[in-house]
Amino acid sequence: MVSDGPALARTVAAFAAGRGPVAVDAERASGYRYSARAYLVQLRRSGVGTALVDPLALGSDLSRLGAALADAEWVLHAASQDLACLAEVGMVPNRLFDTELAARLAGLPRVGLSPLVEHLLGLRLEKGYGAVDWSKRPLPPAWLTYAALDVEVLVELRDELEGILAAQDKLEWAAQEFEAVRTAPPPARRAEPWRRTSGIHRVRGARQLAAVRSLWEAREHVAADRDVAPGRVLPDAAIVEAVLSEPTDLAALTALPVFRGRAQRRLGARWWGALAVARDLPRAALPASTPSAEGPPPPGRWADKDPRAAARLAAARAELGRLAEGHALPVENLLAPDLVRRTCWEPPTDTSPTRVAQVLRAGGARPWQVELTAAALAASLAASLTVETSATCDGSDTGDQLY
């Protein structure tokens, strides 16, 4: 473990003098901690070997290490999962190769690190510690071995995948995808994240929804203050059970199964206070019975809400599916499903390939995706809109009958 200043200085010097791409990985403590920080950073480079770096012991500042690798291509597996926590400690790549994304573009059936290594390199990675608490100190030797193996053959895997992509004439596609991942902004925060509480479908009425929201927000404050995963502070099932039980006082709340424990009794007044806040809210402050709109509704509801849009989506999916199959790509990598849905829900009036290409670019599609899909998507939209116009002119605009 690289865990003090002198060791970090030696590591910085060694990796700066290394050759070729650098394999990078990070371990978080998802399910244990509230934060998504990196608790271990693994590196491997030709001419150097492997280093396991402890960001906690180094004040969560690995910027010198990041600077030493500024000229190297960084190789990560599923990079979008690790780039944010690496940036938090001062490590930001200038060039990126994502082996998971490369495998998707190559049309390989299994893109996890272990199956890829076995399929392309004939090796089996020892697994078993991916979901452990990486904030624990000291880290057991078996965990460190597991962590080191994640970068052991990552560069070799990169080279194999590059060869496959080159043979398929997809290297430029991959370069565009890697750059999009590298430069992607942080994901937008959901407008009402509390609505994702597991079991909320059992809750009825605005007042009960307000109680779920209030308990969820109280739990978030406790979890953030303690840096503990929210589900470990109070399970979703306990939130829903408290709301459905409608306890009349603190004693009734703490008599519920989950709330009987010592930890929950200590927080009982906070949970009761959250329920009281929801109970006393004026009607105007209660949440809506349905989530606020964030783009189109789920596709399963399109047939009822807008049969024409459902028909457009079905036509677009069929055309994109044919294209994806022809290029040995997962259809979701050919064009983002959310972008397809948004385009079909509110299509441009002008369905020419040029206009559809503009819509796709504005929605974040990469040049290679626009080049492959714009004409086909424009044709399917134009055909659907032609059918709609004909139905309207014939006086048969009945929606359900037409589709």
Side-chain angles (χ1 to χ4, degrees):
M1 287 279 281
V2 178
S3 56
D4 58 40
L8 179 61
R10 291 192 297 271
T11 302
V12 167
F15 274 83
R19 303 185 303 275
V22 56
V24 183
D25 191 26
E27 304 294 347
R28 300 176 303 281
S30 302
Y32 295 90
R33 297 291 181 176
Y34 185 83
S35 66
R37 69 173 58 180
Y39 288 97
L40 185 70
V41 174
Q42 307 101 283
L43 304 165
R44 183 174 178 83
R45 195 176 193 187
S46 180
V48 185
T50 300
L52 304 180
V53 184
D54 182 357
L56 292 185
L58 296 164
S60 295
D61 182 6
L62 305 182
S63 53
R64 286 188 294 160
L65 188 53
L69 300 172
D71 294 334
E73 177 190 76
W74 294 23
V75 183
L76 288 90
H77 189 80
S80 60
Q81 297 180 18
D82 290 337
L83 288 179
C85 70
L86 289 169
E88 191 176 10
V89 297
M91 297 186 64
V92 179
N94 291 324
R95 288 185 292 143
L96 177 68
F97 192 104
D98 185 331
T99 51
E100 193 242 15
L101 187 47
R104 288 183 179 278
L105 294 174
L108 298 182
R110 301 177 65 196
V111 298
L113 182 59
S114 291
L116 276 179
V117 167
E118 184 170 355
H119 175 61
L120 296 179
L121 302 179
L123 303 173
R124 290 187 179 181
L125 291 179
E126 182 179 356
K127 307 300 287 184
Y129 299 105
V132 299
D133 182 5
W134 288 96
S135 68
K136 177 180 178 179
R137 292 296 184 273
L139 289 170
W143 295 15
L144 297 177
T145 299
Y146 162 88
L149 286 173
D150 274 351
V151 292
E152 180 79 15
V153 292
L154 204 53
V155 173
E156 288 89 338
L157 183 63
R158 171 230 180 274
D159 293 343
E160 289 291 327
L161 288 165
E162 183 182 55
I164 295 172
L165 292 172
Q168 296 177 353
D169 291 326
K170 295 177 180 176
L171 280 179
E172 178 55 31
W173 300 0
Q176 292 178 27
E177 290 298 296
F178 300 159
E179 185 64 7
V181 170
R182 189 187 73 84
T183 59
R189 180 175 172 81
R190 291 181 177 271
E192 296 178 305
W194 58 272
R195 289 190 186 268
R196 294 175 65 83
T197 302
S198 180
I200 198 172
H201 63 280
R202 299 169 57 201
V203 172
R204 295 291 181 268
R207 187 70 60 182
Q208 287 193 342
L209 285 173
V212 172
R213 179 179 64 186
S214 191
L215 276 174
W216 186 94
E217 290 173 347
R219 182 182 69 175
E220 284 291 293
H221 288 303
V222 174
D225 288 344
R226 299 182 177 184
D227 193 16
V228 176
R232 290 180 173 267
V233 173
L234 186 67
D236 280 8
I239 291 178
V240 173
E241 187 63 29
V243 171
L244 294 178
S245 298
E246 297 185 342
T248 55
D249 54 27
L250 176 57
L253 175 64
T254 54
L256 295 174
V258 171
F259 294 88
R260 293 174 189 165
R262 183 182 306 171
Q264 295 305 333
R265 287 201 305 272
R266 286 198 297 266
L267 291 167
R270 185 186 289 260
W271 306 140
W272 176 247
L275 289 173
V277 167
R279 186 180 59 244
D280 297 337
L281 280 176
R283 184 176 298 275
L286 297 177
S289 58
T290 56
S292 57
E294 294 183 16
R301 301 178 187 171
W302 285 31
D304 293 329
K305 289 182 173 292
D306 188 341
R308 293 173 171 178
R312 288 194 295 269
L313 182 61
R317 282 176 164 174
E319 189 60 37
L320 293 174
R322 286 190 287 270
L323 271 176
E325 184 177 0
H327 291 281
L329 283 169
V331 69
E332 64 270 20
N333 290 105
L334 176 64
L335 201 58
D338 181 67
L339 179 55
V340 176
R341 288 192 292 269
R342 289 175 183 271
T343 305
C344 291
W345 185 253
E346 294 184 353
T349 304
D350 175 6
T351 57
S352 67
T354 300
R355 177 59 184 140
V356 171
Q358 291 173 344
V359 170
L360 296 181
R361 281 193 291 269
R366 268 68 74 189
W368 74 271
Q369 294 175 316
V370 174
E371 182 180 352
L372 278 184
T373 64
L377 187 56
S380 67
L381 289 175
S384 297
L385 291 173
T386 298
V387 171
E388 294 171 17
T389 302
S390 299
T392 301
C393 293
D394 294 340
S396 56
D397 186 14
T398 60
D400 289 341
Q401 294 179 1
L402 182 61
Y403 298 108

